[in-house]
Amino acid sequence: MRKWVSFLLCLLFSAGIWLIHNMSQSYSDLTARQVVAESNITGRAQQSSGDVTVSARIKSSGFHLLALNLSGQNPVTVRFNEEDFVRDPADSTVYIIHQPALSKYSEQIFGSNSTVESFVTDELRFRFAVENHKKVPVKVVQSVYCRPQYMTSGGTSVTPDSVTVYGDPAMLGKIESVLTKHLVLTDLKRNTHGTIGLEVPGGIRISNRTVTYSVNVTRYVELASDAVINARNVPKDVEFTILPSSLHAVLRCVFPITSDPFGNAEFYIDYRDFENSTTGKCAVHTDLPDGVIDCRMTPEVCECLIRNAE
């Protein structure tokens, strides 16, 4: 009896080794999978309604082919790039993936340990339902600090600078922008960039959950001087008086400085502003040379008087 048990165990062990060896070999076979499409098509649902069948001849191990055949009826969700879709001219809700573009998604469909030899399916046709949506700007919530003698130039830009939000029309009507998570940057002395998440309002879907931010930083030198306030566009028969007639200006200039910025800077009042003013107070305008990245003036507003020439 013991001999028979030992014989059967050896037989089972040998069969197991044979099975593992053979199933580990590569084979080529026709395989089909059910696919649900996911994409970021503007104005459409995130996922397709229903699934479609993708058929292909693939090369893989026997174990993987067996697993694919056993799970063939369980849909796999594949994320397609919006630009790979072709809209069906006969049905605006149908988007088509043609075979040349389909090969990019073979790994998502059939797995990373398989090779698609050829697709039997010429195209995939997915239906994406229309959803309520609108486009809103992205607003950056930030605390950005530079090292002394450095400053940001041009503010913080984000890409994309707007996103599409989806949801109930009543909720969409209350959303005017989407905020980023709090961006905190300290001790900056060079340009910086990165990725930051967005705050998603409850009950709302958005086209992007992250954006790329970019902050330009420049080194500066600060110069101060008094300057005369000039007047522009004053009629010939009008005597135009500006009080005070000069100001104190502080200019921040890109380092290194190649020339005195005050030599080419002009501070002036536009007479046309005075004509449109009800109080006689006018803001001082500036013409500043290249390399000046910031200007602070005292005062910024002047009293203006006129007297007709006799």
Side-chain angles (χ1 to χ4, degrees), residues 102-139:
L102 186 58
S103 60
K104 296 192 298 185
Y105 304 96
S106 58
E107 184 174 315
Q108 290 189 61
I109 299 171
F110 296 108
S112 58
N113 51 349
S114 61
T115 302
V116 174
E117 297 180 322
S118 63
F119 281 99
V120 178
T121 308
D122 290 329
E123 62 181 29
L124 303 183
R125 302 172 65 87
F126 297 100
R127 188 178 299 277
F128 289 89
V130 176
E131 282 194 353
N132 296 308
H133 67 284
K134 75 175 186 179
K135 204 167 190 177
V136 296
V138 174
K139 291 189 176 180

Side-chain angles (χ1 to χ4, degrees), residues 86-103:
V86 177
R87 192 169 179 174
D88 187 346
D91 188 341
S92 62
T93 65
V94 173
Y95 290 79
I96 305 169
I97 293 284
H98 292 293
Q99 191 177 105
L102 186 58
S103 60

